[in-house]
Amino acid sequence: MNPSDPLSAAPIGIPQARLRMIRLGVPMAIAAALSGCANFSPDGGMSVAAGIAAQELEKDAVTIRTPEDAKSARDRVEDLLKRRLTADAAVQTALLNNRGLQAAYNELGIAEAAMVQASIPPNPSFSFSRISGSLESELEATVTANILALATLPARAEIAADRFRAAQLRAAEETLRVAAETRRNYYRAVAAQELVGFLTQANAACSATIWMGMRRQRGWL
């Protein structure tokens, strides 16, 4: 009997074959679960959105999670606004200063944390306290609960990983949407400004024509 092994202290009435199965099965299940543990990514899951922004838009997509990140983004926006505003500058400004986009990026951190948490196996616990029924059935219920949690770990981890990948795709989609909407609004504003200028010139020309006509009628010319 090994004093350090809680299973070795079980009453003699419990079948030794079942105890040997528990001794072998639980460590193997834990080892298999540990091999699939997920880790936090260095970029907080921004690789998909940032990659699409760089390749398709040739722009930077950044997540703002610290005061330093906020200051860096604010400085870049101020620098962009000091220059002549172009469509590209407007898109980059929106990617750095859009709250809805930052909310989508923040969901990445939540989804990644859930993915990592779901990949961590539960700590097995063994209880020999007798509350009701036979000790054998009580022990089996406790161990079965632990093994069930380990057995369903891969499925739960895969579901969390799928949700994380879905969050990455939503963030990338939101990045493209914000960029497209900003570019569209920029060209609309430019067209409206040019239309205002054209109408102003036309109004001035019309006023000059009317004035010249009045002068001719009165014999001033």
Side-chain angles (χ1 to χ4, degrees):
M1 179 180 297
N2 184 3
S4 61
D5 185 0
L7 293 176
S8 65
I12 299 176
I14 298 177
Q16 295 300 314
R18 291 179 180 174
L19 294 178
R20 284 195 298 271
M21 181 184 67
I22 293 170
R23 290 193 185 97
L24 294 175
V26 173
M28 291 176 64
I30 294 175
L34 287 173
S35 64
C37 288
N39 296 317
F40 285 99
S41 57
D43 61 358
M46 279 290 295
S47 57
V48 176
I52 288 180
Q55 295 176 10
E56 302 297 330
L57 306 175
E58 297 183 353
K59 298 293 180 290
D60 295 329
V62 298
T63 179
I64 300 175
R65 295 176 178 171
T66 65
E68 291 76 15
D69 295 338
K71 183 179 183 305
S72 176
R74 187 167 54 251
D75 291 343
R76 289 191 62 185
V77 169
E78 291 177 355
D79 183 63
L80 288 168
L81 295 179
K82 290 178 183 178
R83 310 172 189 177
R84 178 176 174 272
L85 188 63
T86 63
D88 287 338
V91 170
Q92 184 62 80
T93 300
L95 294 183
L96 294 171
N97 200 42
N98 187 281
R99 294 185 177 180
L101 187 58
Q102 288 301 318
Y105 292 164
N106 288 335
E107 289 181 3
L108 287 172
I110 298 174
E112 186 177 38
M115 179 185 68
V116 173
Q117 179 64 32
S119 70
I120 300 175
N123 293 325
S125 60
F126 302 94
S127 175
F128 298 99
S129 60
R130 184 171 182 176
I131 301 176
S132 62
S134 66
L135 182 60
E136 178 181 347
S137 61
E138 185 176 343
L139 175 62
E140 288 182 350
T142 303
V143 174
T144 299
N146 289 322
I147 294 179
L148 181 60
L150 290 170
T152 58
L153 179 64
R156 290 185 285 111
E158 184 61 28
I159 292 173
D162 288 341
R163 290 175 177 173
F164 174 59
R165 287 189 288 268
Q168 286 183 305
L169 294 178
R170 285 195 300 271
E173 181 183 14
E174 184 67 9
T175 300
L176 293 175
R177 188 196 66 78
V178 169
E181 183 176 347
T182 301
R183 193 176 294 274
R184 182 168 55 250
N185 290 337
Y186 172 83
Y187 286 123
R188 285 177 177 173
V190 170
Q193 187 176 11
E194 292 180 352
L195 179 61
V196 169
F198 172 78
L199 292 176
T200 301
Q201 293 178 0
N203 183 59
C206 183
S207 298
T209 301
I210 294 174
W211 174 246
M212 292 294 293
M214 293 175 60
R215 294 186 65 182
R216 287 194 183 96
Q217 290 178 357
R218 296 178 182 183
W220 294 351
L221 293 178

